[in-house]
Amino acid sequence: MNNGVPGFAQAAIDSAQLRRLQKRLRKQVSWAIRDFNMIEDGDVVMVCVSGGKDSYTMLDILLQLKRAAPIKFDVVAVNLDQKQPGYPEDILPAYLNEQGIAHYILEKDTYSIVKSVVPEGKTYCSACSRLRRGSLYGFAKQIGATKIALGHHRDDMLATFFLNLFHGGALKSMPPKLLSDDKQNMLIRPLAYVEEKDIIEYARLKQFPIIPCNLCGSQTNLQRAIINDMLREWDNAHPQRLASIFKAMQNVAPSQLADRELFDFEGLTLARDDEERLFEGDNIQAGQTDSLAEIGLPVAPQSRTFNPKYADKPLANKTHANQPADESSKTLKKIPTINPVI
């Protein structure tokens, strides 16, 4: 649908949009690669492609960066055909051959395995992911790939964060870079800084031959889908909220949380100096003075109305509008912040 715009004009508009979007995606992927040292000189990057918008976009952008990068690295696409019923086996190989992209198609009937081990009514995603991951990890080592690139984007990382927060009792997400538990493979997520809505638009403009996931995508009421809907609602109502949450994931303050493994709460000790700081206020009322004295606390602590130590510098004889000249020489007072957390 072109809303009445002539075909050639619409094509020109789409072309301009594609160039702008492509430039932004390349920049975001480049930043992620740089920030987390995802790709190094001499790497062989195994790009996992599923036929979805995310992996198509990741593969396309990485190939563009490969041509322009100051370092040399190679890219190979790998797809795992999991033998879902009705899966169009010819689409992805045809696209990869048409684009001249080196690739492997691995065939393994994980669909039947997932169906047999997952109870009726339960979601398949976890079991499917584990089986797929195990096969791809082993193949990466077999062919000598030094990095495994996965197509998870910023919104996937946010959704995983909230899934763990709401249902897993943990503050964790998908890291941009991860060493596998057995230390045999290095995983990278080059789309870590990319928003899903940009990927959707990029896939539309590039006209990627999208293959839907009929195994997981057909299930309803998935918790991840519910979280994704929540994130989309937030993004529509508060455009900067998701960016702020993602920034928070990169700006963790362990001392302001409650994980005893990350921060030594038990070892916290006071280091007070001898400087006395009087309460700044109008008055202090002490009650049950006998009890206070018994504890060893002062029964008549002193107070002061203002401590010039915490004052700003004088106004340097500058007069503000509607202000008497004799007031301009007074010192400005500011309220000292003792504990911003409280």
Side-chain angles (χ1 to χ4, degrees):
M1 181 176 179
N2 59 16
N3 297 320
V5 179
F8 68 88
Q10 185 63 48
I13 293 172
D14 287 350
S15 179
Q17 290 177 341
L18 177 59
R19 286 195 300 272
R20 288 194 298 269
L21 182 55
Q22 198 169 60
K23 182 178 180 180
R24 180 161 71 248
L25 295 184
R26 282 201 303 262
K27 183 181 294 185
Q28 291 172 333
V29 172
S30 296
W31 284 346
I33 291 173
R34 176 202 63 194
D35 289 351
F36 298 97
N37 193 30
M38 290 185 183
I39 299 177
E40 302 168 271
D41 191 44
D43 268 340
V44 176
V45 182
M46 188 180 97
V47 179
C48 300
V49 290
S50 63
K53 63 181 180 3
D54 305 331
S55 58
Y56 274 128
T57 298
M58 175 178 62
L59 177 62
D60 189 72
I61 297 298
L62 284 178
L63 287 170
Q64 293 179 44
L65 293 179
K66 176 183 181 296
R67 293 190 288 269
I71 61 172
K72 184 182 183 303
F73 66 93
D74 292 308
V75 172
V76 58
V78 175
N79 168 257
L80 178 62
D81 178 357
Q82 299 178 265
K83 299 303 177 183
Q84 296 100 321
Y87 180 78
E89 298 179 355
D90 59 317
I91 290 181
L92 196 52
Y95 171 81
L96 295 171
N97 284 320
E98 179 185 334
Q99 300 296 319
I101 300 172
H103 66 276
Y104 297 97
I105 305 294
L106 313 179
E107 299 184 29
K108 184 175 183 177
D109 186 6
T110 62
Y111 175 83
S112 298
I113 299 174
V114 170
K115 292 283 288 184
S116 66
V117 300
V118 176
E120 188 69 28
K122 299 292 185 179
T123 58
Y124 303 138
C125 292
S126 180
C128 177
S129 177
R130 285 197 301 272
L131 288 170
R132 181 172 63 249
R133 189 163 56 240
S135 297
L136 292 172
Y137 282 14
F139 188 69
K141 185 177 180 182
Q142 179 181 339
I143 64 174
T146 54
K147 300 288 172 58
I148 301 175
L150 304 179
H152 300 121
H153 46 72
R154 186 202 72 173
D155 295 14
D156 286 327
M157 296 166 69
L158 290 174
T160 301
F161 173 81
F162 283 105
L163 278 171
N164 283 308
L165 180 67
F166 294 162
H167 305 287
L171 283 176
K172 65 178 184 179
S173 178
M174 296 174 173
K177 185 178 181 181
L178 177 70
L179 181 64
S180 62
D181 291 340
D182 61 5
K183 296 180 172 53
Q184 300 297 301
N185 288 289
M186 186 73 72
L187 279 68
I188 59 174
R189 295 184 168 95
L191 301 180
Y193 291 166
V194 179
E195 300 177 46
E196 184 178 28
K197 59 187 177 185
D198 283 344
I199 294 174
I200 293 172
E201 180 65 7
Y202 189 73
R204 182 189 73 81
L205 293 170
K206 292 285 289 188
Q207 298 183 341
F208 293 136
I210 303 298
I211 303 173
C213 177
N214 293 322
L215 177 61
C216 302
S218 61
Q219 292 182 289
T220 58
N221 297 322
L222 296 175
Q223 290 298 334
R224 182 172 288 274
I226 295 172
I227 295 292
N228 285 332
D229 288 341
M230 179 191 76
L231 295 178
R232 278 189 287 270
E233 289 178 9
W234 283 357
D235 193 37
N236 291 333
H238 311 281
Q240 295 303 314
R241 177 173 290 182
L242 299 190
S244 179
I245 297 172
F246 188 74
K247 183 178 180 181
M249 290 169 56
Q250 301 172 279
N251 187 24
V252 179
S255 65
Q256 306 301 304
L257 296 173
D259 191 328
R260 292 174 294 162
E261 297 296 324
L262 288 180
F263 190 80
D264 183 15
F265 294 98
E266 187 177 349
L268 290 176
T269 57
L270 287 173
R272 283 181 173 169
D273 54 35
D274 294 330
E275 181 183 359
E276 185 177 13
R277 175 76 182 279
L278 298 182
F279 170 71
E280 295 180 6
D282 298 325
N283 187 34
I284 300 175
Q285 295 186 33
Q288 299 296 319
T289 54
D290 290 344
S291 298
L292 290 172
E294 184 177 345
I295 297 172
L297 300 179
V299 296
Q302 295 180 335
S303 65
R304 65 188 305 163
T305 56
F306 176 63
N307 188 340
K309 175 182 176 181
Y310 298 97
D312 284 333
K313 294 181 180 179
L315 292 177
N317 296 323
K318 290 185 179 180
T319 303
H320 293 272
N322 301 320
Q323 180 183 10
D326 60 346
E327 289 293 322
S328 64
S329 61
K330 289 186 177 180
T331 301
L332 289 177
K333 301 177 183 179
K334 76 173 182 180
I335 300 174
T337 302
I338 299 174
N339 190 338
V341 175
I342 295 175

